[in-house]
Amino acid sequence: MAQSLLSECHTNTAPTREQETPLMSQWHSGPVDFLRRRLPSDSVIRPYAKRIVEDVRSLARAGRSWSQQEETTPAWLTLETTNICNADCVFCAYRHQAGFRKGQGVMQDDIFEKALREYKAMGGEMINFTPLVGDPLIDPNITRRIRRAKDEGFRVRLYTNGILFHRMDLEQFLDAQPDIVVISTSPFDRESHERIYQTHKYPELLDGVHRLLRLRNERGSDVKVGIQFRAHIPLDQILEQPDFRRYIQPYLRESEIGELYAQVKSFDHWGGLISRDDLVEGMSIAVPPLLKKRPCRWTFFMMVMYDGRVRACSCRYSGTEVADGKDGLLIGDLRSSTLGELWHGPAIRQLRRSFGQSTMPTVCRSCTMYRAV
């Protein structure tokens, strides 16, 4: 950490403007978001919350038509511009991705530009720079690519572990004007970060996030910053930690503080790749829904992976890909098809109709990220 920065005492320059939309709740159904916010993050009910809510929603929606959603342009397109990460989180299957796909890299410009162009032609509105696994800030072109997406009229959001903010030109990053930046991190203390994210980069993380927030406020930038804690302790304890109270909280906007969230008892197991033994004491694996008769909401989105292949879901993969010999959520390749063709093609339509049948992808069967349409 740059000691010259973190030894200074800065005044609170954070404005109290309200955000136009919540940072996190767009990812969740109303009932899930309600429970997520109101259940204590270490509640014994937490591991079962997704099963309870999604099974009830599946029953309530039984018989309701969803076919019209197939004709609607996805609300956002996820671009995985790299699948490389600088952390080895205990809850993530990053270290297992060789069993899912071979190789690592950064998306080539021709694939990136083709994705932007074709999603815009479909009437798309948002680009989500969030890898399936990896960190978007590792892409050396990420700031330029955010700017390109904004120049094309897209809203932009991304999830990152925040470690590389320490090294980035943050003025250029803010000038690119991403709309929403969500930082997935441990509680703000060195021991927690080393145990959960398994890096020795906590000083860099704290310095980078602190400088990002402070510079954002000094410039009056509209960039919205959210923090999602992957933690072994509840949110109320996280918010009392000295580094958070001194270097982070004073620079968050009022609505951003209201959106703070700690994931403690509801981690997905990535098709069995992650077990309870992988997690830090205090963390728990979530229990998946039982009823998956309706298509999952995430099959109504698309993700372009760094090598140009296109998936219908940007949430999960599993170790079963090795045994199955295929990615059950793969719907095509941008290098040989257009996004429009893939969106209206047979592969993604058959995938949606496979739910509740013997043909449902193995990766989906035990996934806790399931959301019934």
Side-chain angles (χ1 to χ4, degrees):
M1 179 187 308
Q3 292 298 327
S4 60
L5 280 174
L6 294 185
S7 61
E8 298 174 3
C9 293
H10 300 289
T11 57
N12 182 354
T13 58
T16 58
R17 73 183 74 181
E18 291 300 315
Q19 301 170 3
E20 295 178 3
T21 56
L23 290 168
M24 315 299 181
S25 60
Q26 297 178 41
W27 298 87
H28 302 279
S29 66
V32 169
D33 192 59
F34 179 88
L35 287 177
R36 180 178 68 88
R37 293 174 183 280
R38 286 159 179 80
L39 278 178
S41 51
D42 60 343
S43 167
V44 295
I45 301 176
R46 276 282 184 179
Y48 303 92
K50 292 179 180 179
R51 168 176 287 185
I52 294 168
V53 171
E54 291 306 323
D55 284 352
V56 169
R57 290 178 70 244
S58 291
L59 290 171
R61 295 184 175 206
R64 185 185 302 182
S65 175
W66 49 263
S67 59
Q68 70 279 4
Q69 296 184 41
E70 292 187 306
E71 309 304 322
T72 303
T73 300
W76 62 78
L77 175 69
T78 299
L79 297 182
E80 178 196 66
T81 63
T82 183
N83 66 328
I84 304 171
C85 196
N86 52 358
D88 186 19
C89 307
V90 298
F91 56 83
C92 180
Y94 174 72
R95 59 190 177 277
H96 298 292
Q97 72 169 319
F100 160 67
R101 57 177 169 187
K102 303 299 181 183
Q104 292 182 310
V106 175
M107 182 178 286
Q108 297 179 356
D109 277 341
D110 59 338
I111 295 175
F112 174 74
E113 293 292 339
K114 187 173 189 286
L116 284 188
R117 183 171 63 252
E118 294 179 359
Y119 184 52
K120 184 175 182 179
M122 294 171 65
E125 297 181 353
M126 178 180 282
I127 297 295
N128 177 16
F129 289 102
T130 303
L132 184 55
V133 291
D135 193 272
L137 302 187
I138 288 178
D139 177 1
N141 305 306
I142 189 62
T143 296
R144 174 174 61 83
R145 286 174 166 170
I146 291 172
R147 185 179 296 112
R148 279 287 300 120
K150 294 292 293 186
D151 287 345
E152 292 297 324
F154 294 111
R155 300 185 71 233
V156 169
R157 71 184 301 159
L158 67 150
Y159 269 67
T160 172
N161 62 35
I163 293 171
L164 282 180
F165 283 134
H166 172 72
R167 297 185 182 180
M168 292 179 64
D169 185 327
L170 294 179
E171 290 190 355
Q172 288 190 9
F173 180 78
L174 291 170
D175 285 343
Q177 299 181 335
D179 294 275
I180 301 175
V181 177
V182 181
I183 300 170
S184 167
T185 191
S186 68
F188 278 98
D189 72 272
R190 184 193 293 264
E191 181 182 1
S192 292
H193 198 261
E194 291 183 355
R195 292 178 65 194
I196 298 172
Y197 279 67
Q198 300 193 111
T199 80
H200 296 287
K201 300 169 184 174
Y202 175 72
E204 290 91 337
L205 166 73
L206 183 60
D207 175 59
V209 175
H210 170 75
R211 289 196 298 115
L212 174 70
L213 291 169
R214 182 166 56 86
L215 185 60
R216 185 270 306 260
N217 295 342
E218 290 173 352
R219 294 163 65 94
S221 170
D222 289 330
V223 175
K224 302 173 179 68
V225 179
I227 300 177
Q228 285 194 349
F229 295 103
R230 317 301 182 186
H232 58 307
I233 57 176
L235 183 61
D236 57 352
Q237 294 182 30
I238 295 172
L239 302 187
E240 293 300 317
Q241 292 181 315
D243 282 351
F244 176 79
R245 290 177 64 85
R246 182 176 181 184
Y247 300 118
I248 306 300
Q249 180 182 355
Y251 304 93
L252 291 172
R253 292 170 178 162
E254 183 178 349
S255 53
E256 292 168 347
I257 292 175
E259 289 281 323
L260 292 171
Y261 167 64
Q263 183 179 12
V264 179
K265 298 289 188 180
S266 57
F267 291 91
D268 188 80
H269 57 55
W270 293 76
L273 294 176
I274 303 299
S275 71
R276 173 64 190 82
D277 291 339
D278 292 309
L279 303 180
V280 172
E281 184 178 356
M283 295 176 163
S284 296
I285 298 290
V287 179
L290 290 171
L291 303 177
K292 295 184 177 180
K293 303 293 186 181
R294 297 176 63 83
C296 178
R297 178 193 182 200
W298 302 115
T299 65
F300 291 85
F301 293 87
M302 290 188 294
M303 169 184 231
V304 181
M305 295 192 288
Y306 84 96
D307 58 3
R309 290 181 295 169
V310 182
R311 300 181 99 222
C313 173
S314 61
C315 286
R316 293 292 179 264
Y317 59 80
S318 78
T320 60
E321 272 80 9
V322 176
D324 294 347
K326 65 178 182 179
D327 177 357
L329 296 169
L330 188 69
I331 60 171
D333 197 314
L334 195 62
R335 294 167 294 188
S336 57
S337 303
T338 68
L339 280 179
E341 289 170 344
L342 297 175
W343 180 245
H344 295 289
I348 196 168
R349 293 180 179 243
Q350 291 171 7
L351 170 63
R352 293 167 186 149
R353 288 159 178 78
S354 72
F355 281 80
Q357 303 176 7
S358 60
T359 55
M360 183 172 65
T362 306
V363 66
C364 299
R365 296 180 187 275
S366 61
C367 181
T368 63
M369 299 297 290
Y370 173 79
R371 302 287 184 269
V373 295

